[in-house]
Amino acid sequence: MRIAVYGASGHTGRLILADLRRRGISPLLVGRDADRLRAAATESGLPDAAIHVAQLDDQALAQAFRDVDVVINAVAPFIEFGEPVVRAAIAAGAHYVDISGEQAHIKRVFDTYSEPARQAGVTVVPMVNDGGFLGDLISSLAAARVERPEHVTLAHRITGGTGISRGSGRTAVANADTFVSGGEIYTRDDWRTGTPARTTKVTFPGDSQPSEVVKFALSEVVTVPRHVPADHVEGVADAEIATLFLNITTELAEALPEFPRDDPDSPDRFLVLADVTGSGGTARGYVEGTNTYQFTAIAAAEAAVRLATDGAQPGVLAPSQAFDPADILEALAAHGIRWSVGPTP
Ligand SMILES: NC(=O)c1ccc[n+]([C@@H]2O[C@H](COP(=O)([O-])OP(=O)(O)OC[C@H]3O[C@@H](n4cnc5c(N)ncnc54)[C@H](OP(=O)(O)O)[C@@H]3O)[C@@H](O)[C@H]2O)c1
C-alpha cells in the first residue's frame, strides 16, 4: 500500500507518519523542504522513508503522487494551500484524505472537485480529524434513530491541554472572516451565512447545568445535509473555544509552539455532539476523546488505509458516505475515543 503525506514536516504530519509506521506502512513524505522532511522522517522512526520535494505546483505534485494509492494532506492553512494538493491527487488517480477543519475549504472541495473526482474514479474525503469527522459520523447514527429528522445541532467543546499549534493558529487567522461570522448554516435547502443559530445553550454529557454556546463555523455543517435529510443543520461551540478562535491575531499565532507537547497527565479533552430532532422523535449522539492532534493523525491514517484497502464510491464524500460510521468509530475506540447514541436526555 503506497500512502503519500503532503505537509509531512508539520506537527500533525509527523504524528501521521508515526501512526503509519505503527501500522507497518512506510509512507512517501512530500513537502517543500528536503531538510524538514528528512528530520520528520527520522523523528517519526522512518529514517529510510522515501522523500519527494514538491512545491504547491500542480504538475510537480501530480508527478510526486504517481503510483500512490492515497494522499493524506496535512498542510496549513487549507484555505490558502490545500487546493493544489486535491487537484494533483485527482490528476494522479490517487484517493485523497485531509485533516482540515476549515468550513470554507471543505465547501470548496465539494463544490469544485466532486465531478473531477467522479470522472477520475477516485474518492476524496476532506475533514478527517477530531472534530467535523466525528460530528459527521455521529450525526448519521443519531439521525438513523429519528423518523423524519428535521433539525440537527452540532456542538463542539475542547477543555484542558497545552493549547493549539502554530499551524492551527495560522489557520484561525486565515479563516478569521468565517469564524467572526459564525460561518454557514444549512437551512431551507441551502447553505447560508447570516442566519443565526437557534441553539444558545447545550447541556453537555456529564454536566448538570447548560453551557452557553455560540454559532461556530463547524465543518460538518457542509457534510451532514448530504446524508441526513434534515431541513436545518447548524453548528455551535462552547463560548470559550469560540473566544479563543475569534481573538487570535497573527502575532499570537506566530508565538504559538510549532510542536506543542501533550502533557500525559492532563491532555486536552474533546467532545463532539449531535442533537437530532424530528416529527418522529429525538436522539443525541456524542463522541469524546483526548489528545486532539494525536487522534487526528490516527483517524487520518485509518481513513487512508480503508480507502486503499476497501475503496469507496468515487467523488467527494462525507465521512459517513465513505465509511460505515459505527464500524470506523468502533475501530477508533481502540485508540481512546468513547461514543454513544441514545435518546436525548
Ligand atoms: N479538528 C480539526 O479541525 C483539526 C485537528 C488537527 C489539525 N487540524 C488542521 O490541520 C492543519 C495542520 O496543522 P499543524 O499543526 O500540523 O500545522 P503545521 O505544523 O504548521 O504544518 C503545516 C504543514 O504545511 C506545510 N506548508 C505550510 N505552508 C506551505 C506552503 N506554502 N507550501 C508548502 N507547504 C506548506 C508545512 O511545511 P514546512 O514544514 O515546510 O513549513 C507543514 O508541513 C491545520 O490547518 C490545523 O488547523 C485540524
Side-chain angles (χ1 to χ4, degrees):
M1 171 180 321
R2 194 121 165 97
I3 295 183
V5 182
Y6 193 84
S9 49
H11 178 47
T12 322
R14 288 175 183 220
L15 296 170
I16 293 169
L17 298 181
D19 196 67
L20 291 169
R21 181 181 66 90
R22 180 184 66 78
R23 294 166 190 262
I25 298 166
S26 183
L28 168 67
L29 281 66
V30 189
R32 61 179 168 177
D33 183 316
D35 292 341
R36 283 178 61 84
L37 290 173
R38 184 52 67 203
T42 305
E43 283 166 30
S44 312
L46 293 162
D48 302 325
I51 281 177
H52 192 125
V53 175
Q55 307 290 332
L56 293 171
D57 166 83
D58 284 30
Q59 277 188 357
L61 288 171
Q63 177 70 16
F65 300 151
R66 219 177 15 141
D67 304 327
V68 161
D69 298 312
V70 186
V71 174
I72 303 178
N73 189 3
V75 80
F78 283 86
I79 199 68
E80 289 176 355
F81 307 127
E83 217 175 346
V85 185
V86 189
R87 263 197 313 267
I90 294 171
H95 300 307
Y96 170 95
V97 165
D98 78 36
I99 60 168
S100 171
E102 297 161 55
Q103 195 187 60
H105 162 76
I106 290 151
K107 183 90 181 341
R108 182 175 63 186
V109 171
F110 275 92
D111 291 348
T112 314
Y113 297 104
S114 291
E115 196 44 42
R118 255 193 301 273
Q119 281 181 13
V122 301
T123 305
V124 170
V125 189
M127 189 184 81
V128 181
N129 55 38
D130 65 297
F133 178 67
L134 297 177
D136 183 88
L137 296 171
I138 203 71
S139 298
S140 124
L141 295 173
R145 293 187 165 227
V146 176
E147 258 180 64
R148 298 179 302 283
E150 287 167 5
H151 180 117
V152 182
T153 296
L154 296 142
H156 289 196
R157 176 165 82 176
I158 298 187
T159 49
T162 46
I164 62 173
S165 67
R166 192 179 302 161
S168 290
R170 287 175 177 163
T171 299
V173 171
N175 288 273
D177 289 350
T178 311
F179 284 124
V180 168
S181 73
E184 299 195 4
I185 276 180
Y186 181 84
T187 194
R188 289 177 284 119
D189 298 332
D190 208 353
W191 288 269
R192 298 168 199 280
T193 47
T195 309
R198 296 174 185 167
T199 312
T200 56
K201 288 190 173 186
V202 170
T203 305
F204 286 100
D207 288 4
S208 52
Q209 298 292 326
S211 300
E212 258 184 58
V213 292
V214 295
K215 182 185 173 196
F216 201 69
L218 297 188
S219 44
E220 64 269 43
V221 169
V222 173
T223 61
V224 170
R226 297 170 197 273
H227 53 86
V228 173
D231 301 331
H232 185 93
V233 179
E234 65 181 27
V236 296
D238 179 83
E240 259 181 59
I241 326 182
T243 307
L244 170 75
F245 277 86
L246 292 181
N247 289 334
I248 196 126
T249 59
T250 301
E251 293 68 36
L252 288 172
E254 295 306 319
L256 287 167
E258 190 176 8
F259 303 111
R261 292 277 162 247
D262 286 323
D263 174 353
D265 296 327
S266 130
D268 66 71
R269 311 188 72 80
F270 54 84
L271 197 150
V272 174
L273 173 147
D275 277 332
V276 181
T277 58
S279 53
T282 67
R284 164 173 281 193
Y286 66 91
V287 189
E288 53 189 348
T290 59
N291 301 86
T292 300
Y293 293 98
Q294 177 68 47
F295 176 78
T296 293
I298 293 168
E302 178 72 26
V305 168
R306 283 180 181 233
L307 288 183
T309 312
D310 307 329
Q313 83 194 72
V316 181
L317 302 187
S320 298
Q321 296 171 316
F323 311 109
D324 178 281
D327 187 66
I328 195 163
L329 284 171
E330 218 30 59
L332 293 169
H335 300 281
I337 55 161
R338 209 166 66 79
W339 64 281
S340 159
V341 184
T344 309

